[in-house]
Amino acid sequence: MPTEQLEPYLSRLPDERHRDIAEELFAWTTSACSPQRDHTWHAENMFLSAIFAVSCAPPDATRWELRTSGKYVAFFWYLDNGPRHELVELASQLHGGQPTTAGSLGALYRAFIIDMQSANLDTRHVEQAIGEAVAAMAREPHCNPAEMSWEEFRTHRYKNIGTYPHLACWRAIRRLEYPDTPSEAELMDQAVESTYLSNDLASFFKEAHNAESGAVTSNFVLFYTWLWGDQDNAIAAAITRYNEIINGLQQSRNRLAPLLGHIIDGVLDGQRFLTSFRYPNGDEPMQQLRHYADHSQDR
């Protein structure tokens, strides 16, 4: 499999672990996708995938765990950056329980689920969470901020950020069984909320120049500002809420807390890494966000 398109991106990754997983995911995606897409497009997505796959993994993650979770991350970046018609088609197929034949997205979805099932992992919660995320992402262009309440925004953002499937993937890998207690369900929700807050703080300046309503209804800072007219308060509210979640998670002795904390920190680290070239002017608010690993009870 040609890898020359990947080489420029490998040099920008921070270490050998990131470069190794980028190469493995590049080989997996280019093999799984049918019809084949341009390899440069694959390479850019695998650069992004490697950053978040490695940063979100627990420190004791094995190579197999990292590769398996990385496949979901790669699939998500294809959802986010791939052809919209494939996203819409996949949403319809998943909703209707039909075979996933939606081009590259359908091929990657099938390959990811089959790989997990071949390792005897329970994929039911992963499949459900992916279906909800894909449906929410497919609705984005049709979301009108004038017709969306604050609670409706939060519900939509919980789904379209794509974190629930990532958490479900790691729970399947680590065999952290469902159902959740009420406190565990709340922790899961807060973990997802924190990841969209850090993402939205990093990206709001860039997305503010996107005239589409989907940008406003998919970013905490932009929607808060649209609703109440104060961007400074929106930024402050996002930072305060994020750090409240981290503080609560640090105090928790729940079985899920360490895994959730590692993933939250990983999303934050990944966003910080990308601010210099993907999210202009996103660095300052990101520096005010705390890490779970700082003073957490499991360290």
Side-chain angles (χ1 to χ4, degrees), residues 32-92:
C33 286
S34 179
Q36 293 287 342
R37 294 188 60 85
D38 177 75
H39 283 185
T40 301
W41 189 81
H42 282 287
E44 181 177 359
N45 279 281
M46 292 314 98
F47 167 73
L48 297 170
S49 300
I51 290 170
F52 287 96
V54 174
S55 65
C56 290
D60 63 344
T62 66
R63 184 67 168 267
W64 174 81
E65 289 178 323
L66 184 58
R67 183 168 59 248
T68 301
S69 63
K71 289 176 180 179
Y72 167 71
V73 179
F75 169 74
F76 174 78
W77 280 109
Y78 276 69
L79 282 175
D80 203 40
N81 296 332
R84 173 149 189 85
H85 72 275
E86 290 188 7
L87 169 63
V88 173
E89 185 178 358
L90 182 61
S92 175

